Amino acid sequence: MFSRLLRGLRSGVGLRLTIWYSSILALSTLFLFSFAYFLLASSLSREDQEAVVAKVRELAGVYQTDGLSGLREEVSLERTAASKDDFFVRLAGRENKTVLIHVPPQYQKFDVRSLERVRPNPDTLWLRVRGRQRREALELTSTFLADGYILQVGKSTEERERILKYFREIFVAVAIPLVLLGLIGGMFLASRALQPIRNVIRTIHEITRGRMEARAPSPKTGDELKELVMLFNGMVDKIEALIRGMRESLDNVAHDLRTPMTRLRGISEMALQSGDNLETYRESLADSLEESERILKMLNTLMDISEAETGVVKLDIRTVPVSEVVHDIVELYHYVAEAKSVTVESRVANDILMTVDPMRMRQVLANLLDNAIKYTPDGGRVCISADETGERLAVHVKDSGIGIPSTQISKIWDRLYRGDQSRSQKGLGLGLSLVKAIIKAHGGEVGVESEPGKGSTFSIFLPKTKTSL
Ligand code: ADP
């Protein structure tokens, strides 16, 4: 478990977080302890000093009333009592020579003779006499009696040092496990918090190694990290779909071009096998030129379809009146329709708007109108209309043409599909595929209703939600 945590923390952020967390924990523990230690030390010292002051007052009172003999008696009483709370007592003459001294047995270690060398100053409240060990001291206060004698009472700091030492030991015993616990807890939390990021990194490594289907597991936290992982997975899904789409498009284009390329090769081979006939060469070259143009057109349309199908296409979305686009296309096909005596009628109200890429929509309508004129016998009729409901907009291209047999109707949207009766007409079999791909790229749908011999109605349906105004 610990090694797992460490492995999880190898990342700089995890380690940094843990160090910060542990340092803050250690510092605040230290601060808290120091504060408590200071409070305890000062309260113990105040208690001791209060006791010493009370004692010196008591003994000074005894001296004032009962003189030296009274004090001696009082001190000898103290000696016999020999309690643990015994005080050090010293009475010194005017020259600071000891007159009376009471040194409890536990105070023998203090060099009390040194007191004769230091005449107490009335301004110095407390004197300290060092013991053998560094921390212990005899803390005493002096009072000047009415006859100029000096009365000194003191108490050892040993007892309170013992309590403070015990406190320090408790602190070490508590703080070390606490900081260690904090360190492990910090490591655990940092490692846990960074797990989703590590999963994303591991997934990226797997993807770069070629396992495109790898995804980061979604964390159950519901926070920003979860959102990040979801967005990352969504982005990889999209990239994967795009790559798959592009690969499929490439396969399709390669497959679709194989036939015309073989035909082109066949024309050249036949020309070469036909001998030295210049006329045949000329015809073959003309055929090759025509075929290459077809291939070029096919390639361009196939690329357009693939782009639209994979979603790579960039749509320049605008809101335009449907009638405007329809009018442009009807104008464009005016001569073609006239040549076939087909009447083209536009029944689109001026206030119907569509939010689309107008250039692409012209391509769509041009293909539908081209087909409608192409597959309608001379003297026929084509009508373009539009209607809208709350959610969607529909544009219909209705003709009175040859219609489509029900067996073929599901295939007409396939690439390179050409109906049996259409072979006599010019065409690549890509027009409707392009229409479908462009409409899908706009988030719409296509539909067709047809009755052989009576005519067909091609419809495009577009959502009305998109708006760029
Ligand atoms: P192309 O017109 O080049 O053959 P399309 O993809 O535009 O290719 O159309 C596919 C097929 O759908 C056509 O070959 C034809 O059989 C059928 N079709 C399309 N539009 C019409 C129409 N308006 N009337 C009858 N048949 C149609």
Side-chain angles (χ1 to χ4, degrees):
M1 148 113 181
F2 198 68
S3 63
R4 244 181 56 208
L5 276 180
L6 280 179
R7 233 179 304 129
L9 278 176
R10 256 181 332 182
S11 71
V13 186
L15 201 66
R16 261 206 317 277
L17 272 178
T18 310
I19 290 173
W20 271 106
Y21 173 83
S22 312
S23 312
I24 290 172
L25 184 77
L27 277 177
S28 35
T29 312
L30 196 71
F31 172 76
L32 213 69
F33 164 76
S34 310
F35 188 62
Y37 185 83
F38 169 76
L39 282 184
L40 182 69
S42 54
S43 124
L44 287 174
S45 146
R46 203 176 45 244
E47 248 179 52
D48 277 359
Q49 289 181 351
E50 274 169 11
V52 170
V53 168
K55 194 73 189 170
V56 83
R57 279 200 192 126
E58 182 196 327
L59 294 179
V62 172
Y63 183 77
Q64 297 295 348
T65 49
D66 305 332
L68 182 63
S69 59
L71 184 66
R72 188 164 282 141
E73 203 173 311
E74 181 71 28
V75 167
S76 68
L77 270 177
E78 294 256 340
R79 188 171 290 148
T80 46
S83 85
K84 206 163 149 260
D85 262 348
D86 224 353
F87 292 94
F88 163 81
V89 182
R90 175 177 175 260
L91 180 72
R94 285 185 204 93
E95 302 305 317
N96 196 23
K97 285 275 168 284
T98 305
V99 176
L100 171 78
I101 190 158
H102 163 58
V103 186
Q106 68 268 31
Y107 289 8
Q108 298 296 336
K109 56 193 158 212
F110 300 114
D111 178 19
V112 290
R113 265 184 311 223
S114 65
L115 286 171
E116 291 202 330
R117 294 193 293 273
V118 199
R119 190 184 152 73
N121 185 337
D123 298 332
T124 315
L125 270 177
W126 295 95
L127 278 174
R128 284 175 87 88
V129 178
R130 292 269 151 225
R132 277 192 290 274
Q133 276 166 24
R134 200 168 58 87
R135 284 185 180 273
E136 60 192 17
L138 176 63
E139 199 176 48
L140 45 89
T141 184
S142 318
T143 184
F144 287 83
L145 302 168
D147 55 3
Y149 275 39
I150 305 159
L151 178 63
Q152 291 180 316
V153 173
K155 193 170 190 291
S156 163
T157 59
E158 212 174 342
E159 180 59 21
R160 69 179 198 242
E161 277 309 327
R162 204 177 53 74
I163 296 174
L164 289 176
K165 187 169 168 242
Y166 184 56
F167 187 79
R168 284 195 300 272
E169 279 166 5
I170 288 182
F171 167 72
V172 173
V174 171
I176 291 179
L178 196 81
V179 171
L180 271 177
L181 204 75
L183 193 76
I184 296 170
M187 279 163 135
F188 175 71
L189 287 180
S191 154
R192 234 177 95 106
L194 293 174
Q195 188 60 41
I197 306 261
R198 276 198 301 282
N199 287 341
V200 169
I201 294 172
R202 202 181 46 236
T203 311
I204 294 173
H205 280 307
E206 279 183 45
I207 290 172
T208 46
R209 260 184 255 122
R211 220 173 73 77
M212 195 65 205
E213 67 280 7
R215 295 290 178 278
S218 165
K220 294 178 189 72
T221 43
D223 55 9
E224 291 91 338
L225 283 179
K226 179 174 175 147
E227 199 181 336
L228 179 79
V229 173
M230 305 286 278
L231 285 173
F232 169 78
N233 283 344
M235 188 181 73
V236 179
D237 281 347
K238 185 136 196 193
I239 293 173
E240 193 189 9
L242 277 178
I243 293 177
R244 201 186 313 117
M246 282 160 89
R247 199 173 288 154
E248 276 169 15
S249 307
L250 205 67
D251 287 353
N252 287 338
V253 171
H255 177 263
D256 294 345
L257 283 181
R258 204 160 286 150
T259 318
M261 292 303 280
T262 315
R263 215 161 33 225
L264 192 64
R265 197 181 141 174
I267 295 170
S268 308
E269 271 176 0
M270 265 173 54
L272 285 173
Q273 283 164 10
S274 67
D276 290 345
N277 190 334
L278 198 65
E279 197 49 37
T280 319
Y281 281 164
R282 191 165 284 141
E283 265 176 36
S284 299
L285 274 176
D287 285 352
S288 297
L289 192 68
E290 203 181 314
E291 197 61 41
S292 338
E293 265 167 19
R294 242 175 88 86
I295 292 172
L296 207 63
K297 199 171 165 207
M298 200 170 169
L299 188 63
N300 285 335
T301 319
L302 281 170
M303 292 315 283
D304 278 355
I305 296 171
S306 296
E307 267 190 15
E309 276 177 350
T310 50
V312 180
V313 66
K314 271 210 179 77
L315 298 175
D316 184 11
I317 302 285
R318 287 164 205 202
T319 300
V320 286
V322 179
S323 56
E324 202 178 290
V325 180
V326 170
H327 178 261
D328 288 354
I329 299 305
V330 172
E331 277 282 307
L332 196 69
Y333 279 85
H334 176 72
Y335 291 108
V336 183
E338 208 174 53
K340 276 192 84 179
S341 315
V342 171
T343 320
V344 179
E345 193 189 345
S346 164
R347 275 197 221 152
V348 182
N350 285 337
D351 59 346
I352 301 181
L353 300 175
M354 60 180 168
T355 305
V356 290
D357 180 336
M359 204 266 284
R360 301 278 172 187
M361 208 41 71
R362 276 189 194 97
Q363 252 181 312
V364 165
L365 289 174
N367 270 296
L368 293 179
L369 186 58
D370 183 60
N371 279 350
I373 298 171
K374 206 160 62 175
Y375 301 116
T376 298
D378 291 9
R381 292 179 67 81
V382 174
C383 176
I384 305 178
S385 61
D387 56 67
E388 57 183 341
T389 57
E391 291 292 293
R392 64 182 194 172
L393 166 91
V395 181
H396 313 280
V397 180
K398 184 175 189 287
D399 64 56
S400 59
I402 57 171
I404 308 161
S406 55
T407 47
Q408 295 176 17
I409 214 145
S410 59
K411 298 179 193 151
I412 56 169
W413 304 100
D414 294 348
R415 277 129 62 114
L416 300 171
Y417 178 80
R418 304 208 68 206
D420 295 338
Q421 296 158 287
S422 330
R423 303 282 156 82
S424 54
Q425 298 288 345
K426 275 180 91 177
L428 295 170
L430 290 172
L432 290 181
S433 311
L434 183 64
V435 168
K436 190 177 172 183
I438 292 176
I439 295 301
K440 268 190 89 176
H442 279 82
E445 283 168 35
V446 290
V448 60
E449 279 174 17
S450 185
E451 208 177 313
K454 287 204 168 168
S456 319
T457 304
F458 281 84
S459 306
I460 55 171
F461 303 99
L462 293 164
K464 286 186 74 188
T465 41
K466 272 189 194 165
T467 176
S468 61
L469 277 181

